[in-house]
Amino acid sequence: QVHLQESGPGLVRPSETLSLTCTVSGGSLSSYYWSWIRQPAGKGLEWIGRIYSSGSTNYKSSLKSRVTMSVDTSKRQFSLRLTSVTAADTAVYYCSRELGFGSGSYRFDPWGQGILVTVSS
Amino acid sequence: SYVLTQPPSVSVAPGQTARISCGGTNIGSKSVHWYQQKPGQAPVLVVYDDSDRPSGIPERFSGSNSGNTATLTISRVEAGDEADYYCQVWDTRPDHYFVFGTGTKVTVL
């Protein structure tokens, strides 16, 4: 059974770069898309972007200028970098596997437990 | 951008049926997926492709989708079903990708 675990700093200074890593266990990264999704406290879910095991990426248009994702299949990890952060980027960040690629049924399962990242000086 | 609208809250007595709507323009032409999120936990997929259930999800969870509204139905509601529920679709327009609904808090009375 695939398990995902986010890791990284819980506190980031304004204007600096948020960096998170998701480690996948119980399965391979190959032939899947992997996504980052965030959720501000008390609010809804926001998809940030995704990366394929080959390294191909897609980002939410409003975040594209600040987001970079990468993948290391040998380590079973994929990563998120978000530059020039502000308080509005404070949220719980989740990583997840995308299912249904090629079928039109794009959904997320499973999800990591999430990591709270606070942007504050 | 494509918008999915859900009622902020739904209240239901134990043993009764909860219905959560997800409204979107011509959503009936899309595959709709539903997630359950309990406090302090990550979302869990409970229904996909409008009405299919992942392994391990009780049959009490079902879904439908037609026209401009998709619906998640929880039959014989239990206290453990109290959670936030989100619908989600894939937006086929370029650079849009994934869209989540606004979320519905289900309260078991």
Side-chain angles (χ1 to χ4, degrees), chain A residues 12-32:
Chain A
V12 182
R13 307 290 187 199
S15 80
E16 296 189 345
T17 297
L18 178 159
S19 295
L20 297 175
T21 296
C22 182
T23 301
V24 179
S25 59
S28 172
L29 267 71
S30 298
S31 304
Y32 286 102

Side-chain angles (χ1 to χ4, degrees), chain A residues 14-61:
Chain A
S15 80
E16 296 189 345
T17 297
L18 178 159
S19 295
L20 297 175
T21 296
C22 182
T23 301
V24 179
S25 59
S28 172
L29 267 71
S30 298
S31 304
Y32 286 102
Y33 270 101
W34 303 87
S35 278
W36 288 97
I37 298 158
R38 69 182 181 179
Q39 184 175 38
K43 297 189 177 181
L45 300 165
E46 179 186 28
W47 178 77
I48 300 170
R50 65 175 181 169
I51 186 164
Y52 193 64
S53 51
S54 64
S56 174
T57 56
N58 302 110
Y59 304 135
K60 182 175 181 177
S61 56

Side-chain angles (χ1 to χ4, degrees), chain A residues 17-18 35-40 44-50 57-69 80-94 119, chain B residues 95-98 100:
Chain A
T17 297
L18 178 159
S35 278
W36 288 97
I37 298 158
R38 69 182 181 179
Q39 184 175 38
L45 300 165
E46 179 186 28
W47 178 77
I48 300 170
R50 65 175 181 169
T57 56
N58 302 110
Y59 304 135
K60 182 175 181 177
S61 56
S62 61
L63 297 172
K64 186 182 294 187
S65 64
R66 298 195 293 131
V67 173
T68 303
M69 294 183 182
L80 167 70
R81 281 173 48 90
L82 181 65
T83 62
S84 304
V85 297
T86 69
D89 295 310
T90 295
V92 174
Y93 286 75
Y94 297 100
V119 178
Chain B
D95 281 346
H96 285 80
Y97 306 107
F98 297 94
F100 288 96

